[in-house]
Amino acid sequence: MSVRAVGAVDLIWDEQPPYDDRAGGRLARVVVTKEFQGDLQASSVAHLLKAESARPGSGGYVGLERVVGTLHGRPGSFVLQHCGVMDRGRGSLTIQVVPDTGTGELTGLTGTMEILLVDGEHGFTFDYTVGG
């Protein structure tokens, strides 16, 4: 049975200069440090690769993020994989636990996370299961 964790998340963005600035898509690296509060009390660092189109509102990114802390009081860590696309202002984002990356009391963790932006504040929902 899936459980939902909710809370707030603070983000610090460190965008690197583009490593490829040719026509058709500017490529750059971004490191995002996060602090989760709520049902997930954790810290993480996400390493992202992004592509920015010359057309405003279009681009994409992929990334990996290691999360370390407690989830509903269960200590451990896990890795999230990100895949996001913006198509002329319409976005889709998938953030999913990488299989078999859970440690400690989070061994066997599976699930998906959604990052929310409400009134300028970031939050999250995380639907997950823990098991063998």
Side-chain angles (χ1 to χ4, degrees):
M1 181 174 180
S2 183
V3 177
R4 174 165 280 186
V6 298
V9 60
D10 294 321
L11 301 101
I12 299 172
W13 292 79
D14 180 13
E15 190 160 344
Q16 308 297 311
Y19 63 86
D20 185 334
D21 203 7
R22 291 180 273 186
R26 179 183 193 177
L27 305 179
R29 292 178 181 87
V30 180
V31 177
V32 183
T33 304
K34 298 179 185 177
E35 292 293 329
F36 293 90
Q37 301 94 36
D39 298 328
L40 175 61
Q41 295 284 321
S43 299
S44 73
V45 177
H47 294 268
L48 313 176
L49 296 175
K50 73 175 191 167
E52 293 178 334
S53 169
R55 180 184 292 271
S58 292
Y61 88 94
V62 295
L64 293 171
E65 171 180 5
R66 183 175 309 277
V67 180
V68 179
T70 60
L71 177 59
H72 280 124
R74 299 171 80 149
S77 68
F78 56 93
V79 176
L80 294 171
Q81 179 173 306
H82 297 238
C83 182
V85 174
M86 285 291 289
D87 185 357
R88 298 180 181 183
R90 285 209 220 124
S92 69
L93 175 60
T94 302
I95 306 173
Q96 185 172 353
V97 175
V98 175
D100 299 315
T101 60
T103 67
E105 292 184 28
L106 300 178
T107 298
L109 180 73
T110 62
T112 57
M113 183 177 282
E114 182 177 8
I115 300 295
L116 311 166
L117 183 61
V118 178
D119 297 327
E121 299 293 324
H122 287 93
F124 70 90
T125 62
F126 184 32
D127 295 313
Y128 72 91
T129 59
V130 178

